[in-house]
């Protein structure tokens, strides 16, 4: 029997390089050896985008198209829409008794995301909603309703998984051994930084290179990327380790070329403008096959819809079976 993998993405925008290196490439590898459920987490996206339902709906299709473009095989992976699996919402309610409000406030992921969303939740989180504070509970339901054993995530998500494991242990203690405690699977590259030097490239952070970005957009973004601030003149030596341009060279530039970039930068024989142009060229080349594959799906959006429908049907079946066991354990199987 193959082990079950569950992971998810929020339909809040297109996929960016962070998703590709931090998550997507790992999914493509894992899809051959596991039973794979890939959730398009629209309900979770609504927790901080409840006032923009159009955006979430549009991005359900956008992100699915991106996933197919990077090589997710719909015959191996069940891509499904979270809102269509009502058992997740049901289980979230059952789980909400097993977690304290103070524990949710202490979750480091919730804390840092709350701080990033001051406009919505206030300077000190005083306007935080019940839904957003509780999204880790809903995420625990996402994983367990499919009896997910392995969860590939970026390291920003580890505290959420830890919280899920706590909920599972508490559930099993009270209602008997019913749920599986999931394990995280980290990618080799755990977190990709943003163009602005921020620790994380994020869809909602305005610091990302998206896989769908055209050449002009990529040029504009790379030209504005943060470099070593002590380099003023073209021939000043610089430190590539604090330069975002070199950081992305590392991801897409062939090894030999990369060594030259590094040594010339340190010696001061390379200007930043040329270095950026070289990165732009390499990024475009790297993204070309992804964009070509994407185009086939863009031209046939009904294929994307069919893939989502099929994946959602399979997910629904699994969720229904598990919900029966959960209700039995909780003695609410009337
Ligand atoms: P949002 O800002 O809306 O939360 P996001 O960019 O954080 O969007 P998610 O959909 O929340 O994207 O995350 C999907 C997956 O991609 C998660 O496993 C997450 O850890 C991973 N991920 C997101 N950004 C990065 C990054 N910069 N580096 C590595 N992994 C990332
Ligand atoms: Mg996120």
């Amino acid at each position: 029997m193959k082990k079950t993998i569950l992971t998810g993405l929020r339909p809040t925008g297109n996929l960016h390089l962070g998703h590709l290196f931090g998550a997507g490439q790992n999914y493509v590898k894992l899809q051959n050896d596991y039973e794979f459920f890939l959730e398009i987490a629209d309900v979770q996206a609504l927790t901080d985008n409840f006032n923009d339902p159009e955006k979430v709906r549009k991005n359900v299709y956008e992100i699915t198209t991106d996933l197919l473009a990077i090589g997710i095989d719909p015959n191996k992976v069940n891509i499904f829409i979270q809102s269509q699996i009502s058992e997740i919402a049901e289980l979230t309610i059952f789980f909400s008794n097993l977690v304290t409000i103070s524990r949710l406030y202490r979750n480091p992921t919730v804390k840092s995301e709350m701080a990033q969303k001051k406009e919505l939740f206030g300077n000190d989180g005083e306007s935080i909603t019940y839904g957003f504070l509780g999204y880790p509970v809903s995420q625990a339901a996402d994983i367990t309703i499919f009896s997910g054993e392995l969860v590939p995530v970026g390291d920003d998500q580890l505290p959420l998984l830890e919280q899920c494991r706590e909920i599972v242990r508490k559930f099993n203690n009270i209602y008997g051994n019913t749920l599986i405690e999931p394990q995280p699977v980290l990618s080799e590259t755990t977190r990709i930084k943003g163009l602005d030097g921020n620790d994380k490239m994020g869809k909602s952070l305005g610091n990302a290179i998206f896989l769908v970005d055209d050449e002009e957009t990529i040029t504009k973004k790379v030209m504005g990327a943060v470099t070593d601030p002590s380099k003023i003149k073209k021939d000043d030596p610089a430190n590539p380790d604090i330069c975002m341009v070199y950081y992305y060279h590392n991801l897409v530039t062939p090894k030999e070329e990369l060594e030259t970039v590094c040594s010339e930068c340190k010696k001061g024989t390379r200007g930043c403008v040329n270095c950026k142009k070289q990165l732009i060229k390499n990024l475009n080349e790297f993204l070309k096959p992804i964009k070509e594959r994407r185009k086939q799906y863009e031209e046939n959006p009904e294929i994307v819809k069919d893939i989502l429908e099929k994946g959602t049907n399979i997910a629904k079946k699994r969720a229904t079976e598990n919900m029966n066991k959960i209700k039995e354990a909780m003695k609410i199987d009337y």
Side-chain angles (χ1 to χ4, degrees):
M1 272 266 286
K2 283 184 177 176
K3 281 196 173 179
T4 302
I5 282 193
L6 179 293
T7 193
L9 297 136
R10 294 157 33 98
T12 50
N14 284 99
L15 293 190
H16 52 61
L17 290 181
H19 296 118
L20 183 66
F21 288 98
Q25 286 183 340
N26 206 18
Y27 303 166
V28 173
K29 253 189 263 158
L30 294 165
Q31 66 182 347
N32 297 315
D33 303 318
Y34 295 92
E35 185 173 25
F36 203 138
F37 290 92
L38 183 43
E39 176 177 281
I40 309 299
D42 59 340
V43 176
Q44 192 186 119
L46 283 167
T47 59
D48 54 339
N49 293 277
F50 53 84
N51 46 8
D52 199 353
E54 256 325 305
K55 169 180 158 187
V56 174
R57 187 181 178 98
K58 168 176 165 270
N59 280 307
V60 168
Y61 299 109
E62 284 293 316
I63 216 165
T64 307
T65 311
D66 283 341
L67 287 164
L68 296 165
I70 66 165
I72 297 293
D73 179 347
N75 295 313
K76 295 177 181 159
V77 176
N78 305 309
I79 312 178
F80 69 97
I81 306 177
Q82 182 188 22
S83 58
Q84 303 311 295
I85 313 292
S86 50
E87 287 76 8
I88 297 173
E90 232 178 316
L91 187 56
T92 304
I93 302 257
F94 303 158
F95 279 174
S96 65
N97 295 325
L98 308 179
V99 66
T100 63
I101 308 269
S102 64
R103 174 67 179 87
L104 288 167
Y105 273 117
R106 279 201 311 274
N107 187 309
T109 310
V110 173
K111 261 196 201 162
S112 76
E113 289 180 345
M114 202 163 70
Q116 279 161 16
K117 291 166 197 177
K118 290 196 164 53
E119 241 171 73
L120 205 55
F121 300 138
N123 278 338
D124 301 309
E126 65 277 6
S127 310
I128 193 167
T129 59
Y130 170 58
F132 188 80
L133 184 66
Y135 94 73
V137 184
S138 141
Q139 197 161 307
D142 294 337
I143 298 167
T144 46
I145 198 71
F146 299 105
S147 39
E149 295 166 88
L150 298 171
V151 186
V153 284
D155 68 347
D156 62 318
Q157 303 268 308
L158 285 177
L160 297 172
L161 202 67
E162 195 42 49
Q163 184 138 33
C164 170
R165 289 160 56 87
E166 277 173 38
I167 292 172
V168 166
R169 287 198 290 269
K170 198 156 180 189
F171 185 103
N172 286 343
N173 256 330
I174 299 170
Y175 304 112
N177 218 347
T178 317
L179 306 175
I180 294 175
E181 210 176 304
Q183 305 284 342
V185 188
L186 283 175
S187 309
E188 273 165 45
T189 330
T190 52
R191 194 180 298 195
I192 302 297
K193 294 184 191 186
L195 282 157
D196 54 356
N198 186 310
D199 231 21
K200 187 191 158 195
M201 180 180 283
K203 274 191 263 162
S204 319
L205 299 175
N207 64 2
I209 295 176
F210 294 97
L211 306 181
V212 291
D213 279 348
D214 58 23
E215 298 194 2
E216 200 185 321
T217 311
I218 289 183
T219 303
K220 222 185 274 162
K221 286 181 177 175
V222 171
M223 283 300 172
V226 172
T227 53
D228 180 350
S230 71
K231 180 168 166 118
I232 313 236
K233 292 194 302 305
K234 200 172 134 197
D235 49 4
D236 284 340
N239 177 6
D241 294 336
I242 55 170
C243 172
M244 294 319 295
V245 177
Y246 180 66
Y247 181 84
Y248 297 124
H249 265 302
N250 256 304
L251 299 176
V252 296
T253 298
K255 197 163 171 280
E256 269 170 43
E257 206 180 312
L258 186 68
E259 279 163 16
T260 316
V261 174
C262 184
S263 66
E264 287 183 354
C265 173
K266 283 182 179 160
K267 279 190 286 193
T269 54
R270 143 178 302 260
C272 288
V273 172
N274 276 341
C275 190
K276 285 175 173 173
K277 282 188 182 153
Q278 190 180 349
L279 173 63
I280 291 162
K281 180 175 149 280
N282 291 349
L283 270 172
N284 285 328
E285 240 157 67
F286 175 82
L287 292 175
K288 207 169 149 209
I290 296 177
K291 285 188 183 153
E292 279 170 4
R293 210 172 311 147
R294 194 179 202 284
K295 199 154 170 268
Q296 297 168 18
Y297 290 104
E298 278 165 18
E299 286 165 357
N300 298 290
E302 68 289 350
I303 299 184
V304 178
K305 284 200 168 148
D306 284 351
I307 288 169
L308 281 168
E309 195 179 315
K310 185 178 142 253
T312 302
N313 285 338
I314 296 174
K316 179 79 186 173
K317 190 164 170 281
R318 169 76 79 104
T320 314
E321 284 163 14
N322 277 337
M323 183 47 88
N324 288 338
K325 288 185 210 154
I326 288 165
K327 285 189 167 168
E328 201 182 316
M330 291 180 71
K331 306 202 182 302
I332 49 173
D333 55 332
Y334 298 103

